[in-house]
Amino acid sequence: MTNPLLQDWTTPFGLPPFDQIDDEDFAPALDVALARHMDEIHAIADSADAPTFANTIEALEGAGKELDKVLSPFFALAGADSTPRRRELQREFTPKLSAHSSAIYANRALFDRIRQLWNARETLSLSAEEARVLMLTHRGFVRAGAALEGDEADRMKAIKARLADLGTSFTQNLLADEAGWSMTLAEDDLEGLPVFVRATARAAGEEQGADGPVITLSRSLIVPFLQFSPRRELREKAWQAWVSRGANGGETDNREIAAEVLALREERAKLLGYDSFAAYKLETEMAGSPDRVHDLLMAVWEPARARAEADAQVLSDMMHADGTNGDLEPWDWRYYSEKRRRVEHDLDEAALKPYLQLDRMIEAAFDCANRLFGLEFRALEVPLYHPDCRAWDVTRNGKHMAVFIGDYFARASKRSGAWCSAMRMQAKRPETRSPIVINVCNFAKSDPALLSYDDARTLFHEFGHALHQILSDVEFGSVAGTSVARDFVELPSQLYEHWLEVPEVLERFATHVETGEPMPRDMLDKVLGAATYDMGFQTVEYVASAMVDLDFHAGSAPADPMQAQAETLERLGLPHAIAMRHATPHFAHVFAGDGYSSGYYSYMWSEVMDADAFAAFEEAGGAFDADTAQRLEKHILSAGGSAEAEDLYKAFRGRMPGVEALLKGRGLAA
């Protein structure tokens, strides 16, 4: 039988034929695709022709098409619909992919051709984007260790292989801990929970085959439980399970993995001549250095902590008035904060949620994209990797732009969090490709599905990433879409969140699930008025995580990361009732791969820009100002990584913003 992963796909828009792919197709297809890709690499490296941009750099851009066809559907499944067999395959694939990548970067003949082009770059008459791709290719090889020789080259190869293994293990351990815990609730335990939390808990129980409702470690279930349950002992039990992920002992414990990852990253950086891994990693980011990251985080930390400490006193007084003595604990904060919000803003999450239907919020995100960028969305009936997935054909003026896939519901087989990925990147050379983009979320499943306001913000955030991919208009896939500096990649996503707060958007799309009536104006005003509510808590838990990440990588690797984490939090003066958003054993951003290592700060770095960027629309007369939207698309959303991030932002805004915009946006300005 032929392997569908190795055939030409005649599916609509070249989508993977998920209805034909079996798990057992992946391993043999990967072996064939790896061999064919390596043949392509050798053909480029060993060419008798003198190196040119076309026969070396552009040829590299076009190589590995079959490998992409195997890996894009596999990793979509591995992250969003994991099974024991897929986890086994991922463990098998990791060392193969690491060795393959190392072999490419260690190919001296290939690197010599790239280096010759780099040294002659001023004489090549390259376009601006070609020059950028050449620079990135050369820099990528150097930073991967291509210039190392002998024992150092061998050691670099071993380090990268081991890091790849450890990242896979970290992710799978975390998934196992999240899937392996649940708390069954008796009917009495449902006291105080809104209807939507009860319904979600019952649905989770049915999915697990339990006798009644259960609380799981899905954020869309455990967070509202912590918000609404008056049963303090149950809140504590759920909280302890939530923060203990990856630190429960046994085979799924991630603490030793974290220590080894940090040690290997430090060794890797020093092999390349850097003082620390943070110095290595941040060299290519907008921030440029650990000191600039530290300065940003501390500029935000002090006002955020002051706000959080004042809020903690108010919540403590509320708790004591309830007859509960002792200190305010982390499992108390969300409960009393929700009660306080109802009093101060007269805003009840349970009353708000019926107005935030998933389908209507998807419509809202699409409608904003239509008004800003002229995009239109038509539902597709195509085979996808899970029945919960939905797909749309994205067009503009009748021209196909992309396929957008939404996978919105939580399930035990899906890792936690939310993310955007591209199964295919946009490109024009060596051949034209349109993007296939996926948004993955973990919303509680119900019929109809209702979102919290935070869920709705997440939907808009991830769709902002998707727009970065959909509107990409560059020559080469290596600089398409979100292929930008890590501390720039969150700008489009965080910026798009602002459109959820535009009153006319909520007036049109926030309609009651039963009556269809729009959200009452007084409720809408309360929602917008509470936009910065509890921002001290939110900022402190985030900055604590970002600072721990920076400290881990800015000096010598700690032998005991948990002790190092504790020392950082003590130095910062983290309030007792607030925990870091992601503790080390479940800090997947940092330890599941190199993506956000030394880079978790990047959400805040991007936020400095997103507040300023939305202000550009307001200054121009409104959230849908056509000229500003056109500039945003031209200089940021369509440009990908075709120029330096700072240059792109300045082209859009005329200048770089200061931290004041961020503090004002979070309600933390003096």
Side-chain angles (χ1 to χ4, degrees):
M1 179 179 289
T2 56
N3 191 317
L5 292 165
L6 299 174
Q7 305 304 307
D8 290 333
W9 294 345
T10 58
T11 50
F13 308 106
L15 286 163
F18 284 108
D19 56 339
Q20 301 173 34
I21 297 171
D22 185 84
D23 284 349
E24 299 313 310
D25 293 324
F26 284 112
L30 180 66
D31 289 341
V32 171
L34 287 172
R36 291 177 180 173
H37 185 218
M38 193 56 69
D39 288 343
E40 293 173 314
I41 295 299
H42 285 306
I44 297 168
D46 300 336
S47 172
D49 296 330
T52 65
F53 184 89
N55 69 20
T56 302
I57 305 302
E58 188 166 347
L60 284 172
E61 290 279 326
K65 181 180 177 181
E66 288 176 299
L67 186 58
D68 289 341
K69 285 177 61 178
V70 175
L71 293 179
S72 62
F74 175 74
F75 282 117
L77 288 163
D81 193 23
S82 180
T83 64
R85 177 55 180 152
R86 289 168 188 166
R87 290 192 289 274
E88 180 184 0
L89 287 170
Q90 194 171 5
R91 289 191 294 270
E92 291 176 9
F93 291 177
T94 296
K96 290 183 178 181
L97 293 171
S98 176
H100 182 74
S101 175
S102 293
I104 293 171
Y105 285 115
N107 188 311
R108 302 298 300 184
L110 179 60
F111 182 54
D112 284 344
R113 293 177 70 85
I114 295 168
R115 184 159 49 186
Q116 287 182 58
L117 291 170
W118 175 246
N119 291 337
R121 60 191 180 278
E122 300 298 338
T123 69
L124 301 178
S125 300
L126 301 177
S127 70
E129 186 174 327
E130 288 171 338
R132 173 79 174 166
V133 171
L134 172 58
M135 183 278 289
L136 292 172
T137 304
H138 178 262
R139 188 175 73 181
F141 269 74
V142 171
R143 287 170 59 82
L148 298 177
E149 298 180 353
D151 292 345
E152 289 186 338
D154 291 340
R155 181 57 185 155
M156 178 63 77
K157 181 178 179 180
I159 287 172
K160 289 194 285 187
R162 181 60 178 158
L163 283 171
D165 278 340
L166 292 171
T168 297
S169 296
F170 190 97
T171 301
Q172 295 192 349
N173 289 346
L174 182 54
L175 181 62
D177 275 7
E178 289 172 348
W181 184 90
S182 63
M183 179 173 68
T184 302
L185 300 180
E187 286 302 313
D188 289 349
D189 298 332
L190 299 175
E191 174 196 352
L193 297 180
V195 171
F196 77 87
V197 181
R198 296 185 184 205
T200 303
R202 294 188 196 281
E206 290 175 6
E207 182 182 357
Q208 292 193 1
D211 291 335
V214 302
I215 300 301
T216 70
L217 295 182
S218 168
R219 180 176 286 273
S220 61
L221 181 49
I222 195 168
V223 168
F225 180 77
L226 292 170
Q227 278 181 288
F228 293 107
S229 175
R231 300 286 298 275
R232 193 180 191 220
E233 72 283 3
L234 295 182
R235 295 200 311 267
E236 180 179 4
K237 182 178 179 181
W239 168 261
Q240 295 292 3
W242 176 244
V243 298
S244 297
R245 292 169 296 152
N248 290 307
E251 293 182 354
T252 63
D253 198 294
N254 277 332
R255 286 171 287 190
E256 289 186 7
I257 289 177
E260 187 177 354
V261 165
L262 293 174
L264 290 173
R265 284 178 179 162
E266 180 189 11
E267 185 181 359
R268 175 183 176 187
K270 290 189 172 177
L271 277 172
L272 295 170
Y274 295 88
D275 291 337
S276 67
F277 183 80
Y280 159 76
K281 187 68 182 296
L282 295 171
E283 178 186 49
T284 60
E285 307 299 336
M286 290 184 75
S289 72
D291 287 344
R292 290 187 72 190
V293 174
H294 181 273
D295 290 347
L296 169 70
L297 294 176
M298 292 310 297
V300 178
W301 175 259
E302 293 301 338
R305 183 180 63 173
R307 174 69 58 81
E309 288 176 337
D311 289 343
Q313 186 59 57
V314 174
L315 301 184
S316 292
D317 292 344
M318 293 175 65
M319 185 178 77
H320 296 156
D322 270 357
T324 300
N325 297 319
D327 294 333
L328 183 76
E329 298 292 347
W331 49 89
D332 298 317
W333 190 291
R334 286 179 172 85
Y335 177 71
Y336 284 100
S337 180
E338 177 63 25
K339 292 183 71 171
R340 180 188 180 190
R341 183 170 69 158
R342 274 181 258 172
V343 172
E344 294 186 1
H345 294 276
D346 192 22
L347 185 61
D348 183 351
E349 178 81 23
L352 173 63
K353 198 159 188 174
Y355 290 94
L356 300 175
Q357 302 173 60
L358 171 61
D359 285 351
R360 296 291 281 154
M361 290 300 101
I362 294 171
E363 288 181 51
F366 288 177
D367 184 71
C368 291
N370 175 262
R371 294 179 65 182
L372 289 164
F373 310 115
L375 299 178
E376 297 181 335
F377 300 80
R378 178 180 63 86
L380 292 172
E381 293 295 331
V382 291
L384 298 168
Y385 62 82
H386 191 277
D388 286 344
C389 294
R390 303 155 70 178
W392 292 266
D393 174 20
V394 187
T395 61
R396 179 158 63 183
N397 298 325
K399 176 188 175 184
H400 172 71
M401 299 285 287
V403 171
F404 173 67
I405 298 170
D407 179 2
Y408 295 109
F409 295 126
R411 50 182 174 266
S413 62
K414 183 189 288 186
R415 65 180 170 90
S416 62
W419 64 93
C420 176
S421 60
M423 298 181 70
R424 186 173 67 213
M425 302 289 281
Q426 178 268 331
K428 298 176 184 176
R429 292 165 56 186
E431 64 179 15
T432 299
R433 301 194 309 256
S434 60
I436 299 173
V437 190
I438 308 177
N439 275 180
V440 183
C441 299
N442 269 282
F443 303 144
K445 190 173 186 179
S446 57
D447 187 18
L450 304 178
L451 306 182
S452 68
Y453 194 71
D454 189 56
D455 287 338
R457 184 183 292 113
T458 295
L459 187 148
F460 269 70
H461 177 101
E462 298 305 332
F463 193 70
H465 281 309
L467 287 174
H468 207 176
Q469 300 279 16
I470 291 167
L471 291 169
S472 178
D473 187 21
V474 297
E475 296 293 312
F476 300 102
S478 62
V479 293
T482 56
S483 301
V484 299
R486 182 65 61 178
D487 48 12
F488 191 63
V489 77
E490 297 298 336
L491 169 61
S493 55
Q494 293 177 184
L495 174 58
Y496 206 65
E497 293 178 30
H498 288 273
W499 274 271
L500 179 62
E501 299 173 355
V502 174
E504 63 188 275
V505 173
L506 287 175
E507 286 170 352
R508 180 176 174 189
F509 293 100
T511 55
H512 197 277
V513 63
E514 294 177 357
T515 67
E517 292 296 314
M519 181 184 292
R521 183 69 205 202
D522 63 334
M523 179 181 285
L524 188 152
D525 291 340
K526 291 168 188 174
V527 169
L528 299 179
T532 60
Y533 176 71
D534 214 17
M535 197 55 74
F537 169 86
Q538 294 178 42
T539 307
V540 161
E541 65 164 4
Y542 166 80
V543 175
S545 292
M547 191 62 80
V548 167
D549 168 42
L550 183 65
D551 284 358
F552 275 162
H553 297 99
S556 298
D560 184 349
M562 300 306 294
Q563 180 181 342
Q565 171 185 294
E567 290 170 355
T568 294
L569 299 180
E570 183 177 2
R571 187 185 77 248
L572 289 172
L574 181 70
H576 172 75
I578 303 179
M580 54 191 293
R581 183 174 298 177
H582 304 290
T584 297
H586 54 262
F587 206 165
H589 282 80
V590 171
F591 292 105
D594 273 359
Y596 282 89
S597 55
S598 292
Y600 193 64
Y601 76 92
S602 60
Y603 291 92
M604 186 150 284
W605 189 276
S606 294
E607 190 176 338
V608 171
M609 291 178 285
D610 85 61
D612 181 65
F614 192 70
F617 282 88
E618 296 174 322
E619 292 163 10
F624 294 98
D625 180 73
D627 289 341
T628 310
Q630 186 178 33
R631 290 203 321 275
L632 178 68
E633 178 179 350
K634 177 181 178 181
H635 297 299
I636 294 177
L637 295 177
S638 71
S642 60
E644 290 291 341
E646 187 165 331
D647 294 338
L648 293 173
Y649 191 81
K650 287 179 178 177
F652 164 67
R653 194 67 166 111
R655 53 165 173 73
M656 289 297 293
V659 72
E660 296 78 14
L662 181 148
L663 293 174
K664 180 181 178 182
R666 285 184 170 242
L668 299 174

